[in-house]
C-alpha cells in the first residue's frame, strides 16, 4: 500500500463548507483500518531517525492523526486548540482566516525548551493555522523537527509561511 491508495480514498466535497471550497474529506481514510494505519505509518516516517519528545496536533482533525502518531513514536501528545477550550494557563496567538480572525492556544507548560516536536495536521491550505501553531511552539522554545501533513494544497503556497521549517506532505494537490 502507498500514498496513491490514500489519495483514491479522499473524497472531494464541492462547495463545503461554503461556495467555492472543495473540501478534502478524510473520513473514508479513517473508516478503513488499513488506510488509517497506512496514513499513520507515512506520517510517522516523516520524523526520520529523530527521537520525537512531543507530537503536537491542531484542533480538530489534526488530533486524530497526531495522537495516533504520538503513540506509534512513543512520544507525548500535545493539543493546540481553538480559544477557550484548554483549562490551564495558555499562550495564544491570533491568525487570519478567509473572513476575519481566529485564535489558537497551547498550554504554557506543554513543552519544555529544547524538546523535539513534530507538528501534525490533516491538511495544509493557506498555512495560516500551521504558522500560528509554529509561533506558539517557537515561544515555548520547542525544537521543531518538522511539520507533517497528510494533504497539502500546493496551489495555496502555505509552506511559504512556514519557512525555514521543514514541511513534509504525504499527498499533494
Ligand atoms: P489553513 O490555515 O488555510 O492552512 O487551513 C488549514 C486548516 O483548515 C486545516 O486544519 C484543515 O483542517 C482546514 N482546511 C482548509 N482547507 C480545507 C479543505 N479544502 N479541505 C479540508 N480541510 C480544509
Amino acid at each position: 500500500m502507498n500514498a496513491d491508495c490514500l489519495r483514491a480514498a479522499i473524497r472531494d466535497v464541492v462547495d463545503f463548507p461554503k461556495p467555492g471550497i472543495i473540501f478534502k474529506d478524510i473520513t473514508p481514510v479513517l473508516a478503513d483500518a488499513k488506510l488509517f494505519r497506512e496514513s499513520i505509518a507515512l506520517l510517522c516516517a516523516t520524523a526520520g531517525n529523530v527521537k520525537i519528545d512531543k507530537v503536537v496536533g491542531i484542533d480538530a482533525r489534526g488530533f486524530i492523526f497526531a495522537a495516533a502518531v504520538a503513540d506509534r513514536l512513543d512520544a507525548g501528545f500535545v493539543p493546540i486548540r481553538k480559544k477557550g477550550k484548554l483549562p490551564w494557563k495558555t499562550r495564544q496567538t491570533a491568525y487570519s482566516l478567509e473572513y476575519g480572525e481566529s485564535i489558537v492556544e497551547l498550554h504554557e507548560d506543554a513543552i519544555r525548551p529544547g524538546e523535539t516536536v513534530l507538528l501534525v495536521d490533516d491538511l495544509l491550505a493557506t498555512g495560516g493555522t500551521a504558522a500560528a501553531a509554529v509561533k506558539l511552539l517557537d515561544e515555548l522554545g520547542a525544537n521543531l523537527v518538522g511539520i507533517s501533513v497528510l494533504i497539502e494544497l500546493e496551489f495555496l503556497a502555505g509552506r511559504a509561511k512556514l519557512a525555514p521549517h521543514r514541511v513534509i506532505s504525504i499527498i499533494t494537490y
Side-chain angles (χ1 to χ4, degrees), residues 20-42:
I21 304 287
I22 299 176
F23 191 86
K24 298 294 183 191
D25 178 17
I26 46 96
T27 60
V29 172
L30 302 178
D32 182 300
K34 288 195 177 68
L35 291 176
F36 186 35
R37 190 173 303 123
E38 180 67 6
S39 69
I40 299 307
L42 290 167

Side-chain angles (χ1 to χ4, degrees), residues 124-128 152-163 173:
L124 181 68
T126 67
E152 178 179 4
L153 304 182
E154 283 184 321
F155 54 91
L156 293 174
R159 64 170 59 220
K161 286 199 182 81
L162 304 173
Y173 292 91

Side-chain angles (χ1 to χ4, degrees), residues 89-105:
K89 294 174 191 165
T90 64
R91 295 237 171 191
Q92 55 175 241
T93 190
Y95 65 102
S96 306
L97 293 171
E98 226 171 327
Y99 302 110
E101 272 207 334
S102 186
I103 293 175
V104 282
E105 296 185 321

